[in-house]
Amino acid sequence: MTTQPSLTRRSLLGAGLGAVGITALAACTATAPDDDVPPVPDAAGPFSRPAGADVDRPGYHLTPPSHWMNDPQRPLLLGGLWHLWYLHNADHPHGNGTEWRLATSPDLVTWRDGGTSIRKYVDALGDVESGSAVVDGDGVAGLGAGAVLAFATQQADGVQRQSLYVSHDVGRTFTPAPGNPVIDNPGTAQSRDFRDPKVIRDSAHDQWVMLLAEGHRLGFYTSTDLRTWTYRSDWSVDDLGTLECPDLFELELDGDPSRRTWVLVASANGQSQGRTTGVAHWTGVWDGTRFTGDGAPARWLDHGPDFYAAVTWAPDDEPRPSSRWCLGWLDNWAYARSRRSGSFAGGAQSVVRRVRLVTGPGGVPRLVSTPLDALDVVTGPPVPMGGMPSSPSAVPVPFAGLHRFTRPTPSDSMRLDLDIESDAPYRLRLLDGDAASATVTVDPAHLRVAVDRESASPATGVLGPTWTSSHVADLAPQPRGRLRTRMSLLVDRGTLECFVDDGAVCLSAASGLGEVVAIELEADGSVLVHAATAAPIRPVQLA
């Protein structure tokens, strides 16, 4: 629930188209005006960014219309459009506090700004911070059948409480419900951190469940009317700092309907594991009152430095979905406030990902993620990169040393797909001018892949060690000595998302990337390039 800057951290933190369906929580029958449905761009149109666009603004990642963005709030499908809210501070950098701003989409790829849905400082309880929205189809809260209800933390004078807001216009605008807060701060020494209400429907036990981030623990509360909440249990971890933005859901393990497994998620600080902040998850059992973990340590949804405050949701109205969709904030509190200034202060959301639960190394379940298939709507045809093969069926190209080619697409926003086999380290450098703005390194001998930005910006001395550090993830062993790596890189201004081996490893990073003018592939020994293509991606934000 991180909100925008003041003197303390807490006030600072403060599918293809045909697969789009209605979530179980979003079975709302209201309709939106026709003029709110953004047109899907013509695939034959230009891929260049609009004239006058901010040079720092990403092209196909969701960004705020101005100033500051951070945590996303779980989307709902309402009136045929996905409604995604996010924390926004239009007063940055001179004013504090966040509000819920709305973006709508027919496909979770193309977006239209929907304006402010919940304004900050509407009452004495303070600004509005992170939470979640649901549809009260039966009207159990007494605010009308089909009302959209948003639960969010409000903070005033350092005290965090949970408030309820109601919308009767399909989630466009909300007003505070009578009787706020619905959960007051207990006022104990442990309740300084008491935030980020995530409300889910627990159909098996005919109840609603709220998860709250409470310092080093997550609290579980239940309700039958969405107004009166009863504390049931908590779950704690001592080595991952202050937990935030929790989530709880059930998925099939390895696509097997007989192996349904509960997953608990929280944004956390991985310093004890040599990481920065990120999104951790655990697997176990939920019995309606308590989550019991399976004893395995935390696993990470993304190994890069910039994937935080993630939200997940069911992609359709299946009562037991086999996968979920997910997106997160592409930034890091270690440098988010220092990267940019002006009318666009930065902040972007990741592309929407499809998340599955698979058996990982050692037999431990883990989440893997890949870009949503619907991203193809705004992606042009792939072209070979500088004489490389265009597909796995093409003749592989062996080489050693440096291979350099100019940007192979008409857009500075692109997708790179590579299939490379090697027993020696190799590096993929994305060049902004003559500097390596971002580098992806694969080390077959140590089964590691890394992203670094050490030479990404003249401001790295200001941004600090989290920016300049190399961020590393482990790769799975392979039967043969040579490591064959399939990699997709989503390259955009100021962002880089790297998916390795069908999403088994993800590394997302804010970057100093502006216009990528050249790409270098350098190998310390002989490598085989089985395929290497680039495809342009058009801007996604519509007027």
Side-chain angles (χ1 to χ4, degrees):
M1 166 238 36
T2 49
T3 63
Q4 220 343 72
S6 112
L7 297 180
T8 66
R9 178 180 183 271
R10 273 317 323 161
S11 57
L12 165 71
L13 304 183
L17 294 178
V20 175
I22 301 176
T23 66
L25 295 181
C28 181
T29 59
T31 59
D34 291 342
D35 62 359
D36 287 336
V37 181
V40 176
D42 181 356
F47 287 90
S48 59
R49 62 180 49 238
D54 192 304
V55 295
D56 291 326
R57 187 183 294 275
Y60 62 90
H61 289 81
L62 176 63
T63 57
S66 65
H67 300 286
W68 176 275
M69 160 192 281
N70 55 303
D71 300 7
Q73 316 301 316
R74 182 185 59 206
L76 296 178
L77 187 63
L78 305 170
L81 287 177
W82 287 103
H83 287 55
L84 168 67
W85 299 272
Y86 57 86
L87 297 189
H88 179 239
N89 182 8
D91 301 319
H92 176 84
H94 305 294
N96 192 32
T98 52
E99 60 193 13
W100 278 29
R101 195 171 186 100
L102 173 65
T104 60
S105 174
D107 53 14
L108 295 170
V109 174
T110 53
W111 296 98
R112 169 167 286 161
D113 178 46
T116 299
S117 291
I118 306 178
R119 298 193 178 279
K120 59 183 177 181
Y121 303 128
V122 295
D123 54 34
L125 295 176
D127 65 334
V128 58
E129 301 174 347
S130 278
S132 56
V134 300
V135 175
D136 184 8
D138 297 327
V140 298
L143 299 170
V148 183
L149 306 183
F151 296 84
T153 299
Q154 284 188 275
Q155 179 172 236
D157 300 323
V159 179
Q160 297 173 348
R161 304 172 174 89
Q162 317 318 317
S163 290
L164 172 62
Y165 297 82
V166 58
S167 172
H168 295 292
D169 59 0
V170 203
R172 289 178 173 277
T173 59
F174 291 81
T175 57
N180 278 335
V182 291
I183 300 183
D184 204 350
N185 192 295
T188 64
Q190 293 76 32
S191 62
R192 180 180 66 87
D193 300 304
F194 188 69
R195 55 182 176 269
D196 303 351
K198 181 60 61 67
V199 176
I200 65 170
R201 179 64 184 166
D202 180 7
S203 299
H205 301 96
D206 193 25
Q207 63 183 359
W208 296 90
V209 178
M210 179 188 291
L211 287 76
L212 284 179
E214 303 174 357
H216 291 221
R217 73 177 194 176
L218 303 177
F220 298 89
Y221 303 74
T222 63
S223 176
T224 57
D225 63 3
L226 292 166
R227 300 296 294 269
T228 304
W229 295 91
T230 302
Y231 167 78
R232 296 298 185 186
S233 65
D234 63 74
W235 186 90
S236 62
V237 57
D238 295 327
D239 62 346
L240 294 179
T242 299
L243 303 179
E244 297 189 296
C245 304
D247 202 355
L248 179 68
F249 51 85
E250 192 180 25
L251 281 178
E252 298 173 357
L253 178 60
D254 297 323
D256 185 348
S258 68
R259 303 175 68 192
R260 302 288 298 181
T261 303
W262 282 92
V263 183
L264 181 65
V265 174
S267 291
N269 189 328
Q271 183 176 5
S272 65
Q273 301 181 14
R275 299 175 42 87
T276 180
T277 54
V279 178
H281 63 278
W282 302 262
T283 48
V285 175
W286 167 253
D287 64 6
T289 59
R290 181 178 299 276
F291 176 82
T292 303
D294 56 16
R299 286 131 278 175
W300 298 87
L301 184 54
D302 192 294
H303 296 269
D306 298 293
F307 190 79
Y308 195 74
V311 292
T312 77
W313 66 100
D316 49 41
D317 57 358
E318 295 178 22
R320 297 163 67 87
S322 60
S323 64
R324 291 177 75 82
W325 290 341
C326 172
L327 85 162
W329 181 48
L330 285 182
D331 222 322
N332 190 306
W333 284 109
Y335 41 72
R337 289 166 291 167
S338 304
R339 290 182 59 215
R340 298 190 185 100
S341 60
S343 62
F344 173 58
Q349 306 300 337
S350 72
V351 299
V352 177
R353 306 174 178 187
R354 178 176 178 244
V355 176
R356 296 173 293 114
L357 187 66
V358 304
T359 299
V364 177
R366 59 181 297 186
L367 294 175
V368 299
S369 64
T370 52
L372 194 67
D373 289 343
L375 189 64
D376 293 345
V377 170
V378 293
T379 303
V383 297
M385 294 201 300
M388 299 291 191
S390 60
S391 71
S393 62
V395 177
V397 176
F399 73 90
L402 180 66
H403 187 92
R404 181 179 175 126
F405 45 95
T406 57
R407 190 179 77 214
T409 77
S411 172
D412 55 10
S413 302
M414 71 188 86
R415 173 175 176 150
L416 306 179
D417 286 293
L418 301 103
D419 181 350
I420 298 177
E421 187 175 3
S422 178
D423 57 6
Y426 60 90
R427 289 161 291 281
L428 184 73
R429 296 192 182 98
L430 307 175
L431 305 183
D432 182 355
D434 294 326
S437 289
T439 301
V440 179
T441 301
V442 177
D443 184 349
H446 297 94
L447 291 174
R448 289 182 174 177
V449 59
V451 168
D452 76 74
R453 308 165 289 193
E454 186 169 354
S455 58
S457 168
T460 51
V462 176
L463 299 184
T466 301
W467 181 274
T468 58
S469 296
S470 184
H471 300 274
V472 181
D474 294 329
L475 297 171
Q478 295 188 6
R480 299 180 298 148
R482 293 173 68 87
L483 180 71
R484 183 166 178 174
T485 303
R486 295 171 177 84
M487 185 186 310
S488 291
L489 277 71
L490 300 183
V491 181
D492 206 354
R493 291 206 177 208
T495 69
L496 174 67
E497 295 181 75
C498 177
F499 300 85
V500 181
D501 294 339
D502 296 322
V505 172
C506 304
L507 298 104
S508 297
S511 74
L513 286 170
E515 183 176 7
V516 174
V517 297
I519 302 168
E520 289 182 347
L521 183 57
E522 181 184 48
D524 292 349
S526 177
V527 303
L528 284 172
V529 181
H530 291 270
T533 62
I537 302 180
R538 70 169 68 246
V540 301
Q541 292 187 243
L542 308 173

